[in-house]
Amino acid sequence: VLILGFGIRQSFIKYTSTETGRLKFDQFKLKVPFFGIIFHFLELNNLCVILELLISSGIPLMDALEILKDSQKNMVFKHALTKCQEEIAKGSTLTKGMEGLTVFPVTFRNLLSMGEESGRMQPGLLKLGRYYQVQIDYRLDNLSKLIEPILLAVIFGMVLTLALAILLPIWKINEVMRPKF
């Protein structure tokens, strides 16, 4: 069992070290129930905070997107930012580049669009960063409520197993000791 577990672990590490394996794993992480949305919000929060800092520092948008792309851990977001860079290089806007990409929610794109049109993206990015941080905190606070029934079921199973381990031998002894007529 240990050798099999070690082999599976090594295979997983080798698979995720390739670009396609990492992309598939990151796509899977974003689709996992409950945790996927937390991973998604973490990446969006990271994106908002870093992009706001870079733009407020006076770095041009193309350079800021390149730095932002390097800071992202999720390959899905890296590919999405690459597509955005390609659209900007063609002369389009950032939000036009985000239109066909499902990793960027509609509200995210709309707020960035308003910021691009007004020429003030920093306040919108700050608000989006705060929004995603609040959402992450809320979901992590509710994680204990989600895990509680699972923990109760596990504890019930352990207590039941312990009780049966104690009582079954007693019942067996009782059967053996009972006189048969």
Side-chain angles (χ1 to χ4, degrees):
V1 172
L2 289 175
I3 294 171
L4 180 66
F6 182 74
I8 291 171
R9 179 181 175 271
Q10 290 302 107
S11 299
F12 177 76
I13 290 171
K14 188 172 183 176
Y15 178 69
T16 56
S17 66
T18 65
E19 187 165 336
T20 56
R22 181 63 190 246
L23 180 65
K24 295 280 186 197
F25 181 65
D26 286 343
Q27 287 172 340
F28 171 74
K29 279 196 315 189
L30 293 176
K31 292 178 183 175
V32 173
F34 189 78
F35 293 103
I37 194 77
I38 293 175
F39 293 137
H40 195 225
F41 284 169
L42 280 169
E43 291 296 330
L44 286 171
N45 181 42
N46 184 22
L47 187 142
C48 290
V49 169
I50 293 173
L51 188 59
E52 190 274 327
L53 285 171
L54 292 171
I55 289 174
S56 65
S57 299
I59 296 175
L61 186 59
M62 285 296 283
D63 295 337
L65 286 177
E66 186 64 36
I67 295 168
L68 182 63
K69 187 172 64 171
D70 292 338
S71 74
Q72 294 294 310
K73 295 176 184 144
N74 194 307
M75 291 297 289
V76 176
F77 278 88
K78 282 187 180 191
H79 286 290
L81 289 171
T82 301
K83 289 179 183 174
C84 290
Q85 277 183 311
E86 292 168 0
E87 285 296 318
I88 292 172
K90 292 177 186 175
S92 187
T93 62
L94 177 63
T95 52
K96 289 284 184 191
M98 290 180 178
E99 272 182 6
L101 305 171
T102 58
V103 294
F104 300 113
V106 176
T107 54
F108 182 85
R109 291 191 306 248
N110 289 342
L111 205 54
L112 278 185
S113 175
M114 289 188 306
E116 276 185 327
E117 289 172 9
S118 67
R120 294 178 34 104
M121 284 179 61
Q122 295 94 339
L125 287 167
L126 263 172
K127 287 179 183 176
L128 280 169
R130 275 192 242 124
Y131 168 75
Y132 287 121
Q133 187 62 48
V134 167
Q135 289 296 315
I136 292 165
D137 292 341
Y138 173 75
R139 290 178 191 280
L140 289 177
D141 288 342
N142 287 330
L143 184 62
S144 63
K145 294 175 187 167
L146 180 73
I147 293 176
E148 189 174 305
I150 297 168
L151 288 176
L152 285 174
V154 168
I155 291 171
F156 173 76
M158 291 170 59
V159 169
L160 181 66
T161 303
L162 183 65
L164 288 176
I166 292 171
L167 293 177
L168 280 177
I170 294 172
W171 288 331
K172 291 285 184 185
I173 290 175
N174 192 21
E175 285 180 15
V176 171
M177 300 293 284
R178 182 178 292 153
K180 296 183 181 179
F181 295 104

